Amino acid sequence: MTIFDAVLLGLLQALGEFLPISSSAHLVLLPYLRGQQYQGLAFDVMLHVATLLAVLLYFWKDWYQLIKDGLTRPLSDEGRTIWYLALGTVPAGLAGVLLGSWAETTFRNPLMIAVCLMVFAVILWAADRKASSQTGTLLSLKTVLLIGCAQALAIMPGVSRSGVTITAALLLGLSRASSARVSFLLSAPVIGGAAVLELKNLSWAEINAPFIWGFVSAFLGALLVIGWLMKYIKTHSFNVFVVYRLLLGLFIIGFYFWK
C-alpha cells in the first residue's frame, strides 16, 4: 500500500463514518474497483480508531458533562443518559462477536453491499421526510436501545452505522440534529470495542508510513466532516446522501456484471 492509497482510504473513512454513506462499504469497494488487494481488517480498524478520537475530541464537552452527570446524579434524566448509551452499544457488540467472521467474508460481496446501500437509502429518505416537524431531544432507555439494535445492522457493509442510527432516531421522533448527535455518541463505545478486539492481532511491523498517514488523514478528515455535517443538517435534509447511495449502488451492480 502506498501513502497515497492510505491517505485516500483515511479520507474515505472520515467521510463514510459520519456521513450516512457507509465507511465500510467504501473501504471494501475502493480496492475492489481498482483491482487491488483488500488492505486488511487491522488497517480498517485503526482508521476507525482515528475517527473515534475525532468524535471524542469534537464532543469532549458533551462527554465530560455526560460522565459527570452519570457519576454525580445517576438517577436524574441527564445522569441516566450515559448509562443508556452504554446499554445501547450492547446489540452492536453482540453482532460483532457473533457475526464477525461473516463481516470479513460473506458480507463483503459487492452485490450485497449495493443492495444494502440502496435499501437503507430508501428507508433513510422515508424517515427524513418527517424530520422537518421533529423537535425531540430527550433520550429514553427504549429509544437508545432501539437505536442500538439498528446500529447492530451496520456490521453489513453498505448499511452505514451513522445512516441506520440516524434513520432509527428520526423514526423515533428525534430531530435531525439530535439524531446525528446520538449517532455520533453511540459510535464511540462500539468503535472502541472493535479496536480493542483487533489490536491483539496487530503487529508492530504493520505500523509503517502508509499506516500512520492513513490514521492522520482519517482523524483530521473526521473532525472536519463532523463539524460540517452538524451545521449542514440545521437547514438541509439527508436527501443528497440518499441520492448518492442509490447512484453508487447502481454503479456497483453495473460494474459487477460489466467486468
Side-chain angles (χ1 to χ4, degrees):
M1 183 191 306
T2 66
I3 290 178
F4 174 80
D5 291 333
V7 170
L8 183 58
L9 289 168
L11 293 176
L12 279 177
Q13 165 63 20
L15 289 167
E17 183 62 42
F18 300 111
L19 301 183
I21 58 175
S22 180
S23 62
S24 57
H26 286 75
L27 293 177
V28 172
L29 290 171
L30 182 64
Y32 170 75
L33 295 174
R34 298 176 68 188
Q36 297 177 333
Q37 185 177 1
Y38 172 54
Q39 62 274 2
L41 188 60
F43 183 81
D44 286 0
V45 169
M46 292 312 295
L47 292 184
H48 280 77
V49 172
T51 52
L52 165 63
L53 294 178
V55 79
L56 290 176
L57 178 60
Y58 188 90
F59 290 104
W60 74 268
K61 290 182 179 179
D62 295 68
W63 283 113
Y64 172 78
Q65 193 62 50
L66 286 170
I67 294 172
K68 179 182 176 182
D69 290 339
L71 294 177
T72 58
R73 46 192 191 123
L75 299 181
S76 66
D77 288 339
E78 295 81 3
R80 292 190 184 102
T81 302
I82 189 66
W83 306 113
Y84 291 168
L85 290 172
L87 290 173
T89 64
V90 172
L94 290 175
V97 172
L98 298 175
L99 302 175
S101 60
W102 285 21
E104 299 180 42
T105 53
T106 306
F107 293 159
R108 293 183 181 275
N109 180 278
L111 285 180
M112 185 172 182
I113 292 175
V115 170
C116 286
L117 281 167
M118 298 172 73
V119 169
F120 283 91
V122 173
I123 300 174
L124 173 60
W125 170 79
D128 192 48
R129 287 191 66 186
K130 55 183 285 188
S132 58
S133 61
Q134 303 288 39
T135 58
T137 58
L138 184 62
L139 294 179
S140 65
L141 177 59
K142 177 183 176 180
T143 297
V144 175
L145 284 177
L146 288 173
I147 297 173
C149 289
Q151 182 171 237
L153 297 174
I155 194 170
M156 298 182 290
V159 170
S160 172
R161 189 209 56 77
S162 62
V164 75
T165 50
I166 288 172
T167 298
L170 290 172
L171 290 174
L172 290 168
L174 271 66
S175 65
R176 288 191 181 108
S178 295
S179 297
R181 178 176 175 271
V182 70
S183 171
F184 296 159
L185 293 177
L186 269 176
S187 72
V190 172
I191 297 172
V196 169
L197 291 175
E198 187 59 33
L199 280 174
K200 66 179 184 298
N201 300 320
L202 184 68
S203 66
W204 286 104
E206 293 181 87
I207 305 179
N208 50 23
F211 193 102
I212 294 172
W213 277 101
F215 186 94
V216 171
S217 64
F219 172 72
L220 296 178
L223 286 176
L224 293 174
V225 169
I226 296 171
W228 175 81
L229 183 63
M230 294 303 292
K231 293 179 181 178
Y232 178 83
I233 58 177
K234 289 180 179 179
T235 54
H236 297 79
S237 71
F238 289 101
N239 286 345
V240 64
F241 306 114
V242 171
V243 173
Y244 172 79
R245 290 174 64 122
L246 292 173
L247 292 176
L248 179 59
L250 290 173
F251 171 77
I252 294 168
I253 292 172
F255 183 86
Y256 181 86
F257 286 107
W258 178 75
K259 68 170 295 189

